[in-house]
Amino acid sequence: MLNVSINVYEKLTELLDREKAEYRIVEHAPEGQTEWVSQIRGNHLSQAIKSLVVLVKIGKKESRYYLANVPGDCRVNLNAIKTLCNGTHAMFAPSQRVAELTGCVSGAIPPFSFHEDLFVLAAPSLFENEELVFNAGRLDRSIFINKNSYFEIARPSLMAIAVKENKETI
């Protein structure tokens, strides 16, 4: 699985270079939990992009997968995703399917999709920071990126899918 994640890292850096993104790479001790890796990298939690794969069932026969990107100090609001994506049920995708769709282990998923069946969503509150940071397909590498570069390249659908600790959906 590590080779697959390295492939994602290479795809990601090639994409960012091709699109002339403003970014920098930071190497660090392997860590996938947003709170811990943010301490290692020295960034604010709100700058970190937490990326999770969500399965949305639409009726009884159709399912779609979404890459939900929220600030590191928030949780993903599954009910909001269900409603905004016209679903009947939403849940976090099984780990095996996450690996198939992202090519990454949990905690290393970047906020970009390289799979046609994985649609990218982002909380608008990510715009509050000039620079965003995320694990880059590997647990030992992170990318700091200008927010405009991220949004222009990833082209996520902006949706209020993040919940702050005070339960406010943003």
Side-chain angles (χ1 to χ4, degrees):
M1 175 93 59
L2 181 59
N3 290 337
V4 174
S5 291
I6 291 171
N7 185 29
V8 171
Y9 171 76
E10 290 170 359
K11 281 183 185 179
L12 182 59
T13 55
E14 287 171 10
L15 172 66
L16 297 178
D17 289 341
R18 185 173 62 248
E19 297 294 328
K20 298 178 179 23
E22 292 180 41
Y23 77 99
R24 60 190 164 92
I25 298 168
V26 174
E27 293 185 31
H28 51 76
E31 181 56 60
Q33 290 189 359
T34 305
E35 295 80 10
W36 294 108
V37 75
S38 290
Q39 288 180 8
I40 293 168
R41 296 182 301 223
N43 61 273
H44 295 286
L45 262 178
S46 63
Q47 284 182 281
I49 301 177
K50 192 184 303 183
S51 301
L52 299 158
V53 179
V54 176
L55 165 62
V56 176
K57 294 190 181 228
I58 301 162
K60 293 184 179 183
K61 296 184 180 182
E62 187 180 352
S63 296
R64 288 199 187 125
Y65 291 91
Y66 294 91
L67 182 62
N69 297 295
V70 299
D73 58 351
C74 294
R75 291 179 290 118
V76 171
N77 184 334
L78 292 174
N79 283 328
I81 292 174
K82 176 185 79 171
T83 301
L84 293 166
C85 296
N86 298 314
T88 53
H89 185 69
M91 65 184 134
F92 293 110
S95 58
Q96 183 176 342
R97 188 69 176 133
V98 170
E100 291 168 4
L101 291 167
T102 66
C104 297
V105 297
S106 180
I109 301 168
F112 294 84
S113 175
F114 295 102
H115 196 288
E116 63 184 12
D117 294 333
L118 185 61
F119 303 96
V120 182
L121 307 177
S125 54
L126 287 169
F127 268 116
E128 295 172 7
N129 294 286
E130 287 302 313
E131 189 173 53
L132 301 168
V133 61
F134 54 88
N135 274 2
R138 298 172 55 158
L139 294 174
D140 63 349
R141 302 265 169 92
S142 291
I143 289 181
F144 284 77
I145 190 168
N146 172 279
K147 73 176 177 185
N148 293 327
S149 290
Y150 168 68
F151 285 102
E152 288 169 11
I153 297 167
R155 295 185 181 156
S157 295
L158 297 177
M159 296 183 174
I161 59 169
V163 178
K164 286 265 192 193
E165 289 308 311
N166 65 6
K167 310 291 188 228
E168 174 189 1
T169 300
I170 54 175

